[in-house]
Amino acid sequence: MPIMLYNTLTRSKEELKPVNDNALNIFVCGLTPYDDAHMGHAKTFVDFDVIVRWLRHRGYKVRYVQNITDIEDKIINRARERGIEPVELERHYEKRFMDDMEALWARQAVDLFPRSTDYIEAMRSQIQLLLDKGYAYQLEQDVYYDVSKFKDYTKLSGMRIEELEKHRIELRQGKRNPYDFALWKGAKEGEPSWKITLRIDGRDTEFVGRPGWHIEDTAMTHEIFGPQYDIHGGASELIFPHHSNEIAQAEAAFGVKPFVRYWLHTGIVNINNAKMSKSLGNFVTIREVVARYGAEAVRMLCATTHYSKEMNYTDALILDARKRNAYMYSALSIFYGMREAEAEGADDAALRTRVALFVVQFGEAMDDNFNTPLALSRLMAMIGELRVFAGTHSQVSASVKAYALSSVLELAQTLGILTSDAYKHTMPAEAGELVRRREALRKDGRFNEADALRSELRKRFGIALEDTEYGSAWYFAGA
Ligand SMILES: [Zn+2]
């Protein structure tokens, strides 16, 4: 079965064919650390984490690189507000971001987090190539890209050239075209700067300043992957101008087209159905959400929405994600606790067939442009079947039990869920008795008394209860 993926460049679903054998080079636009990362970042990095995990599961040797933009206007401005050095501010938020990524289980799959300022020489040589080939021009201490020279400029965005002017454009006297963008910016007073030498009209000229934003990605990827690689990912708002400019730089400088085979873009995140914005007060950081609901709830919520679609975040939705996650742990724990038999009965064999079918269908969903909502619903249904099996059988064959558990866990972990072995924890008998008493109280409508038992379970045993559509689920949450 081939893997099909939607390519923004061709606006169609295509079969994945790596540049080299079964090796895949993947680059995803990373963070500009000047503040804590928010739910929009969580979606992008969790979605690409799932994509990478799935491709590795399918046997591809993936090299996954995510850059860190460690010099940028936002970093400089925020550092100035706080009266500290830009590098100090950047390292502070970079460290916090790495902790967030680790907590989300989204850092572990990344092979390399290169910082842009470690690639100044690669940027210099790329800018030199663009000057030599007539795609770049000097404007005092700046160097600009002449967009009119690159005829494929709108192929990724699909925009008409007249539309470009409506978008955020760097204002600067003397540019040849309004949408020309900076490859190198001359240093302003008090800003961090680097010194490079460029040869222009046969003369060496010194430039003191810093790189433009777009050149860092193509400098890094050329250094790390070469002039062509497989997949470039990022949030959809980067299609123009950022990714369009990357194509203009790399294809003009190195002449290999397309420099990226497949462009994948993730949808934005809305908070309570509105665009996330600090001024509207609906800005949610990763660390707040992870502290409140746990990392797996975030992963569940992300998997519920297709990577390419807009995702809505509300308290009700993340709570629901946590409940479904708790249900899965609790159903698995009941199945895990089943008595094992050596012999395999007819029902065991039937269960084995059901699991084998689930493995195929989960794979079909993921191979079809990483359809996580469908894959997740198949996972939930399979775990539901295991729960029913445990409720209707006194034992299960040891081999079918091991096969079912390993299949479910292996596939769930490509989504970044069911990563802990909490399903192995069995509930103390006394706690089990409290759960049963509470269920009875709830049936009788004695909710206050039921709530008191719930608090007692949490305090004495560290057990949290969630009332789900499938009945009450429990998990170890700590005191
Ligand atoms: Zn980028």
Side-chain angles (χ1 to χ4, degrees):
M1 266 289 288
I3 289 182
M4 303 297 290
L5 68 184
Y6 182 83
N7 186 358
T8 308
L9 186 64
T10 58
R11 289 164 193 80
S12 62
K13 239 189 236 180
E14 293 176 41
E15 185 180 335
L16 175 64
K17 288 182 181 151
V19 176
N20 294 307
D21 299 327
N22 74 332
L24 283 173
N25 287 326
I26 302 184
F27 179 84
V28 170
C29 284
L31 194 76
T32 301
Y34 71 99
D35 203 342
D36 278 332
H38 53 67
M39 277 304 292
H41 299 119
K43 174 170 161 56
T44 295
F45 301 133
V46 163
D47 287 349
F48 281 106
D49 181 75
V50 170
I51 288 170
V52 166
R53 284 178 191 279
W54 184 253
L55 292 169
R56 286 185 178 144
H57 174 79
R58 279 299 194 219
Y60 290 99
K61 283 176 66 184
V62 178
R63 185 122 196 262
Y64 176 19
V65 177
Q66 194 188 111
N67 69 317
I68 298 280
T69 301
D70 64 344
I71 190 73
E72 217 263 335
D73 289 346
K74 294 192 197 90
I75 297 172
I76 294 170
N77 295 338
R78 181 67 55 88
R80 191 170 291 150
E81 280 165 33
R82 301 211 180 151
I84 56 175
E85 288 300 312
V87 66
E88 196 186 326
L89 181 98
E90 188 279 330
R91 291 294 192 272
H92 172 75
Y93 285 111
E94 183 186 305
K95 165 84 176 65
R96 288 168 71 88
F97 172 64
M98 290 298 164
D99 294 342
D100 291 344
M101 289 281 282
E102 180 107 24
L104 278 180
W105 214 48
R107 174 182 173 165
Q108 293 81 341
V110 180
D111 295 301
L112 190 65
F113 287 98
R115 290 186 185 127
S116 46
T117 58
D118 289 333
Y119 289 80
I120 299 286
E121 170 50 27
M123 297 186 218
R124 186 209 59 77
S125 81
Q126 200 168 125
I127 295 170
Q128 184 66 61
L129 268 175
L130 292 169
L131 284 163
D132 294 346
K133 294 185 175 187
Y135 289 95
Y137 59 95
Q138 177 184 7
L139 198 53
E140 295 160 8
Q141 273 288 293
D142 301 344
V143 180
Y144 275 90
Y145 189 100
D146 185 343
V147 169
S148 67
K149 294 272 163 60
F150 186 72
K151 64 178 186 349
D152 286 338
Y153 189 59
T154 55
K155 71 177 174 181
L156 184 71
S157 65
M159 285 193 244
R160 284 175 295 123
I161 200 94
E162 311 85 75
E163 287 177 75
L164 301 180
E165 300 196 32
K166 287 187 235 148
H167 289 265
R168 182 173 59 103
I169 276 169
E170 299 160 43
L171 294 172
R172 174 79 160 84
Q173 281 285 318
K175 275 162 68 171
R176 291 182 187 166
N177 309 288
Y179 28 81
D180 289 352
F181 57 90
L183 297 166
W184 187 264
K185 299 175 177 183
K188 294 197 195 96
E189 187 63 32
E191 285 183 0
S193 62
W194 289 260
K195 216 181 271 181
I196 60 169
T197 303
L198 294 167
R199 197 156 179 85
I200 297 174
D201 300 329
R203 269 209 323 272
D204 283 346
T205 313
E206 196 166 83
F207 288 79
V208 179
R210 59 192 166 95
W213 173 32
H214 319 292
I215 194 81
E216 72 175 77
D217 298 50
T218 51
M220 276 177 191
T221 56
H222 186 262
E223 285 278 297
I224 300 166
F225 298 147
Q228 189 183 45
Y229 63 99
D230 301 287
I231 296 177
H232 190 321
S236 56
E237 65 260 32
L238 299 181
I239 294 172
F240 182 84
H242 186 46
H243 292 164
S244 302
N245 292 352
E246 281 194 47
I247 291 176
Q249 291 165 170
E251 295 187 1
F254 307 113
V256 182
K257 294 187 186 201
F259 103 97
V260 168
R261 288 270 188 98
Y262 309 95
W263 289 86
L264 268 56
H265 290 102
T266 50
I268 60 162
V269 171
N270 290 316
I271 308 285
N272 301 317
N273 290 304
K275 195 174 182 318
M276 186 167 21
S277 108
K278 271 215 163 138
S279 52
L280 290 175
N282 58 349
F283 183 87
V284 188
T285 65
I286 294 174
R287 47 189 53 220
E288 280 166 35
V289 179
V290 169
R292 224 166 131 195
Y293 300 102
E296 288 203 11
V298 177
R299 306 276 320 204
M300 288 280 293
L301 186 65
C302 290
T304 307
T305 305
H306 191 261
Y307 77 83
S308 64
K309 299 279 191 301
E310 282 187 15
M311 182 175 105
N312 192 25
Y313 175 93
T314 67
D315 283 337
L317 286 170
I318 187 93
L319 204 57
D320 182 61
R322 188 176 75 179
K323 282 181 181 181
R324 287 185 296 142
N325 190 241
Y327 164 75
M328 290 200 280
Y329 271 112
S330 126
L332 273 187
S333 138
I334 292 164
F335 182 75
Y336 177 80
M338 279 187 85
R339 197 147 54 82
E340 291 175 16
E342 216 161 288
E344 197 169 313
D347 286 0
D348 293 314
L351 184 62
R352 182 193 294 281
T353 307
R354 297 289 307 153
V355 172
L357 182 67
F358 154 72
V359 171
V360 170
Q361 291 183 331
F362 185 99
E364 284 170 352
M366 292 299 284
D367 287 345
D368 182 13
N369 196 27
F370 315 104
N371 189 342
T372 57
L374 184 56
L376 181 62
S377 72
R378 287 181 169 156
L379 178 69
M380 292 285 292
M382 186 66 241
I383 290 175
E385 283 188 44
L386 298 182
R387 171 74 183 83
V388 168
F389 190 92
T392 51
H393 294 74
S394 60
Q395 58 183 30
V396 61
S397 96
S399 65
V400 169
K401 182 178 170 182
Y403 171 61
L405 280 171
S406 65
S407 302
V408 161
L409 291 171
E410 188 182 346
L411 295 181
Q413 286 170 13
T414 64
L415 301 177
I417 55 176
L418 304 183
T419 59
S420 100
D421 63 356
Y423 67 92
K424 288 183 179 169
H425 299 189
T426 43
M427 197 187 282
E430 203 185 337
E433 184 49 41
L434 289 181
V435 172
R436 278 188 288 281
R437 263 170 52 201
R438 177 175 172 272
E439 299 238 298
L441 289 168
R442 280 177 56 83
K443 274 203 191 101
D444 292 347
R446 293 157 71 181
F447 295 110
N448 287 341
E449 291 161 78
D451 282 350
L453 283 189
R454 177 200 212 129
S455 315
E456 191 180 337
L457 277 159
R458 184 69 183 257
K459 264 194 215 113
R460 284 178 56 197
F461 302 101
I463 288 172
L465 284 174
E466 298 278 5
D467 297 307
T468 76
E469 57 197 291
Y470 314 98
S472 82
W474 60 271
Y475 59 99
F476 284 95

